[in-house]
Amino acid sequence: MAALMRRYGVGARWYDVLSGERLVYRAGRQAGIALLDPGPGDVVIDLGCGTGLNFALLLAATAPSGVVIGIDRSSEMLAVAQRRIDRQGWRDRVRLIRADAAELRSDEVARAVIDLRGGGDGRADALLATYSLSVITEREEAWQRARACLRPDARACIVDMQPPHGFWRVLSPLARLACATGGADIAARPWRMLERDAVDPSSVRRAERKGGHIVAVAATLAATRP
Ligand SMILES: C[S@@+](CC[C@H](N)C(=O)[O-])C[C@H]1O[C@@H](n2cnc3c(N)ncnc32)[C@H](O)[C@@H]1O
């Protein structure tokens, strides 16, 4: 746990450069957001948002009035995200919440949504988690708490990692090293929570990138029990 805090603490300022974004991981967020397919005006929760590498794509997809609520436990990662927001002039469309996802409070998320939108019931239309649920140790709790912030029939997408397959298996050691360096559990397969909680198996969409190392799964969610 302490190592994880350090990794996304002091390492935050180097994350965008050292995380393999251009070479490997951008492809996953692009595929995931395409599958999630948020619409104009939607409210999207970015769970474990890190430095905000999803924001530009999400804001473009939800333009002109959609908003993003970025949630992360690391104040250092959020500081980088906030600088990105300020630099890009996104203050009226993105709000950051510092929270452990496993203790996320839906009323806090609702307040941020209502504040940004100037009204409404505060529930989000969509949920995105890229490369975060494999790092979050209490992932089931985090997942359920994020679901509780969504409206009925909301859509969600989980983008995460597994060992590559087929010909690409030769790159498995590299993939495992990348995951270990980031504190991710390459065996977690967090998209299974989404497949389990989908309203209907026919709503599940899946894409793989980089030899299967990156998996993106999106679906419409079944309503949560009150
Ligand atoms: C590999 S980074 C992914 C960041 C971002 N989603 C992306 O696609 O670049 C994992 C992120 O999860 C965050 N994280 C880890 N455990 C968390 C928790 N329990 N609650 C909230 N965020 C957490 C870390 O601080 C880090 O920013």
Side-chain angles (χ1 to χ4, degrees), residues 4 8 15 29 46-51 53-54 71-74 77 99-102 130-132 135-136 182:
L4 194 62
Y8 295 108
Y15 178 81
R29 66 182 87 251
D46 186 348
L47 188 67
C49 66
T51 62
L53 288 170
N54 291 323
I71 296 158
D72 204 284
R73 187 177 60 182
S74 160
M77 294 294 269
D100 184 329
T130 57
Y131 314 117
S132 53
V135 176
I136 296 172

Side-chain angles (χ1 to χ4, degrees), residues 151-222:
R151 68 165 167 79
D153 293 327
R155 287 194 46 84
C157 176
I158 296 178
V159 179
D160 229 300
M161 299 163 284
Q162 68 176 3
H165 48 69
F167 165 78
W168 294 90
R169 275 191 7 219
V170 290
L171 295 178
S172 261
L174 264 182
R176 287 179 194 283
L177 181 65
C179 288
T181 308
D185 176 359
I186 199 169
R189 293 178 165 82
W191 53 85
R192 288 183 176 173
M193 296 186 293
L194 175 49
E195 290 166 341
R196 178 197 65 202
D197 294 340
V199 68
D200 169 349
S202 69
S203 81
V204 179
R205 300 277 178 276
R206 180 187 177 106
E208 294 193 359
R209 295 289 183 272
K210 306 292 172 184
H213 174 46
I214 300 170
V215 178
V217 174
T220 303
L221 285 167

Side-chain angles (χ1 to χ4, degrees), residues 128-150:
L128 176 68
T130 57
Y131 314 117
S132 53
L133 282 164
S134 59
V135 176
I136 296 172
T137 42
E138 291 173 83
R139 65 184 62 90
E140 181 67 43
E141 183 65 22
W143 172 246
Q144 295 305 339
R145 283 181 176 258
R147 284 186 68 198
C149 302
L150 301 173

Side-chain angles (χ1 to χ4, degrees), residues 70-90:
I71 296 158
D72 204 284
R73 187 177 60 182
S74 160
S75 48
E76 291 86 353
M77 294 294 269
L78 290 178
V80 177
Q82 189 61 54
R83 283 199 289 280
R84 186 188 305 279
I85 294 165
D86 295 343
R87 209 171 45 239
Q88 301 291 341
W90 291 336

